[in-house]
Amino acid sequence: MVPLHGRLARAALALTLAVAAPAGTLAQDAPHPHPAESKPAPRGPEGRRLPPDSTTRQSVTLPDGRTLDFTATAGSLPLVDEAGKLQAEIAYVAYTMAPQAGRERPVTFAVNGGPGAASAYLNIGAIGPWRLPVGGDSISPSQPVTLTPNDGTWLGFTDLVFIDPVGTGYSRAADGNGKAYWSIDSDASTLAATIARYLRVNDRMASPKFFVGESYGGFRGPLIAEKLQEEIGVGLSGMVLLSPVLDFAWLETPRANPWGYVLKLPSLAAGALERAGTVPTPTLLGDAEAYATGPYLSDLLKGPSDTAAVARMTEKVAPLVGLDPALVRAQAARLSTRSVQREIDRAEGRVTSAYDTGITGWDPNPDAAQSSFEDPQLTALQAPLTSAMLDLYARALKWPVTNMRYELLNNAVNRGWSWGSGRQAPEVLSNLKGDLALDGHLRVLVAHGYTDLVTPYFASKLLLAQVPAYAAGRLSLAVYPGGHMFYTRPDSRAAFRADVERMYTDALKVRDAGPTRPAGAPAEHLRTAP
């Protein structure tokens, strides 16, 4: 599979964004005012289905006592072709603060992944001004959906624009068929055009610009940066790639390929440390990482029929990951994610999340030899996140959409995604290297959770080591306790915010200094929340 470079990609690049109109409302609102009167949302011009943009003034007092006064805008950007015909409406939520005198505030564009996920995960889960609290080691779909001020928000140091790709949130193709947007290249082209149009409409071209993408959103980041740099004429000062996939060939391997087991072993070891009451650190996981790429890989290559190799691996792997040696031996030390999810807490009849082995739920069929179960984190979060976003739109943001379904995680997008037709699996490490090579001031932070089996941190660590020295001091890796959505843990959320703010500060200093040649520094670091 390779990125598309055909007719759909060229068509997406030709699209431009019309100015959103008419102007929305402006009101003084508390974070959760009384519900607005129930009435149909007015239709916009040119056959648009979404209501006009709504702008409200908001204020939050954070747990540390700081108060943020800001403007919130919920609305959409109409995507039209060169003849002015409406092609799609791209829904977004923007939070902006008044700039300091004589200084442009940075603006950060946030996109989630899937593909098929809306930006709610980053918005009310990670970096927006409000956050939905969720359970620590277990999540209830019927939990309260009241938002609280977010102690991890980035709004104090950057404006935030959350974008929903076509088919997610309220973003839709005008003809109801989003298939033309559901491919690697046309998706990146559309999102780059959306970012550029937001900058033009809101007079933000002079602002420092950043991007944050989670999961497949992290995969999108280097592609979007490349298109902004080379095809639209917009440069990013920095990117944050959160739990990203950088190379699908590394993560989607057949059982006979040993590489997938190598990449997941340190994350399994991190989960065992947590179950023993120990916080994972780079030092504690150093042995697991060295073993994974050394003796473990060597013995995996000998094949499952080599009984001596299986015995050696069982003796090492079982205590390292905290599982029964009989189970490890039965799988020839090639532990499948599905079996690990069930075996970690089998005695209690519980299954663990592939996204975070520290989160568990009940096994619906604990007495069965095999069991089908929903993920205790990803699936359990769908109801509370959806309800919380609908409440936020309707009450705080004054933008109720009554004639459309809100798509938090649209499986139709995921199933209908076009990955290309070549011999190679898609990857963006090449694009990331190109972005960093072209712009010697660009900063990139790659962030992972230790206990994520879906996009294990060790994959990114090994891939980033392949980036040449020209990225020294500008490309870093940070790993925190937790999984794919490590920001649900308070300490990890605080450490992540501090690392991101530090990266922004460095990027802005270099930007303000002008076109000087950047100095070198260590290319990578690992950080753990205190």
Side-chain angles (χ1 to χ4, degrees):
M1 294 180 290
V2 295
L4 286 181
H5 293 288
R7 181 177 55 84
L8 291 181
R10 292 192 296 271
L13 282 172
L15 295 175
T16 56
L17 293 174
V19 179
T25 59
L26 186 64
Q28 183 74 31
D29 292 303
H32 286 285
H34 295 294
E37 296 180 9
S38 178
K39 58 182 180 180
R43 288 175 178 258
E46 301 174 356
R48 295 173 64 187
R49 298 175 62 192
L50 292 174
D53 294 3
S54 172
T55 301
T56 56
R57 292 195 179 99
Q58 306 282 354
S59 181
V60 294
T61 300
L62 302 179
D64 62 6
R66 289 181 299 136
T67 296
L68 300 178
D69 297 315
F70 60 97
T71 297
T73 301
S76 63
L77 290 164
L79 194 66
V80 302
D81 62 17
E82 292 179 334
K85 183 180 179 181
L86 182 68
Q87 301 295 305
E89 292 179 275
I90 308 297
Y92 73 96
V93 174
Y95 305 115
T96 61
M97 293 180 64
Q100 296 177 348
R103 187 176 184 85
E104 292 276 353
R105 265 179 68 83
V107 57
T108 298
F109 296 92
V111 178
N112 266 97
S119 58
Y121 299 87
L122 286 170
N123 188 346
I124 60 174
I127 66 173
W130 298 291
R131 183 177 63 84
L132 177 66
V134 295
D137 56 5
S138 182
I139 298 170
S140 169
S142 61
Q143 70 163 66
V145 296
T146 302
L147 300 180
T148 63
N150 183 11
D151 54 358
T153 185
W154 298 2
L155 187 55
F157 57 86
T158 179
D159 292 341
L160 298 166
V161 182
F162 298 91
I163 300 172
D164 293 334
V166 172
T168 73
Y170 289 125
S171 297
R172 297 290 188 276
D175 62 2
N177 182 10
K179 186 72 174 176
Y181 300 91
W182 298 347
S183 68
I184 293 173
D185 201 66
S186 59
D187 167 78
S189 295
T190 301
L191 289 171
T194 302
I195 290 170
R197 186 57 189 178
Y198 178 89
L199 293 169
R200 290 196 296 269
V201 168
N202 293 278
D203 195 23
R204 298 300 300 269
M205 279 295 180
S207 300
K209 306 159 197 73
F210 293 83
F211 173 88
V212 55
E214 181 177 4
S215 196
Y216 185 80
F219 181 88
R220 285 169 161 140
L223 295 171
I224 291 171
E226 182 180 90
K227 292 182 181 299
L228 288 172
Q229 284 178 343
E230 300 177 20
E231 298 172 4
I232 294 179
V234 171
L236 295 178
S237 292
M239 289 192 291
V240 179
L241 310 181
L242 198 164
S243 302
V245 181
L246 298 177
D247 190 333
F248 276 95
W250 280 41
L251 300 185
E252 296 183 351
T253 58
R255 181 164 177 78
N257 187 331
W259 199 233
Y261 308 112
V262 169
L263 299 179
K264 290 177 184 177
L265 189 66
S267 290
L268 292 172
L273 287 173
E274 285 198 342
R275 293 193 297 278
T278 302
V279 176
T281 67
T283 300
L284 291 174
L285 289 172
D287 179 60
E289 293 180 4
Y291 172 69
T293 55
Y296 183 53
L297 176 59
S298 177
D299 278 338
L300 287 172
L301 290 172
K302 291 179 172 64
S305 62
D306 189 321
T307 56
V310 170
R312 287 192 298 271
M313 290 187 289
T314 299
E315 183 179 5
K316 180 70 175 182
V317 170
L320 192 64
V321 303
L323 291 175
D324 185 350
L327 171 71
V328 177
R329 187 179 302 107
Q331 295 191 34
R334 294 155 170 81
L335 297 171
S336 71
T337 297
R338 196 69 173 178
S339 69
V340 167
Q341 286 183 260
R342 201 170 187 221
E343 294 298 331
I344 281 179
D345 207 6
R346 189 182 183 96
E348 298 296 324
R350 296 181 71 81
V351 292
T352 190
S353 170
Y355 293 83
D356 186 342
T357 58
I359 295 175
T360 66
W362 293 111
D363 187 339
N365 299 292
D367 54 344
Q370 295 182 339
S371 179
S372 176
F373 52 87
E374 297 293 338
D375 191 88
Q377 183 179 44
L378 184 70
T379 307
L381 277 175
Q382 190 156 349
L385 275 177
T386 298
S387 295
M389 278 303 300
L390 292 174
D391 187 61
L392 177 65
Y393 273 127
R395 295 208 287 175
L397 303 181
K398 301 293 189 183
W399 199 64
V401 181
T402 59
N403 60 337
M404 294 175 65
R405 171 174 168 168
Y406 178 80
E407 297 282 1
L408 176 74
L409 191 59
N410 190 342
N411 288 328
V413 175
N414 196 278
R415 290 192 301 267
W417 199 260
S418 177
W419 296 95
S421 57
R423 292 177 177 269
Q424 292 182 323
E427 58 87 20
V428 292
L429 184 67
S430 299
N431 306 85
L432 179 61
K433 290 195 290 186
D435 296 338
L436 288 162
L438 186 63
D439 188 345
H441 289 163
L442 177 66
R443 259 63 177 169
V444 178
L445 172 66
V446 178
H448 279 275
Y450 281 117
T451 50
D452 178 8
L453 301 181
V454 177
T455 58
Y457 82 89
F458 199 42
S460 287
K461 181 174 182 178
L462 295 176
L463 281 166
L464 295 181
Q466 309 308 311
V467 178
Y470 56 73
R474 300 186 291 123
L475 175 63
S476 58
L477 172 68
V479 188
Y480 311 93
H484 201 72
M485 292 169 266
F486 59 79
Y487 47 75
T488 61
R489 303 194 187 192
D491 288 347
S492 295
R493 186 168 61 250
F496 179 47
R497 182 193 179 280
D499 284 344
V500 172
E501 186 171 13
R502 187 179 304 112
M503 187 267 275
Y504 274 53
T505 299
D506 292 343
L508 295 177
K509 283 182 180 177
V510 172
R511 184 179 188 271
D512 292 342
T516 57
R517 186 170 181 173
E524 182 215 42
H525 70 276
L526 286 172
R527 296 186 64 86
T528 303

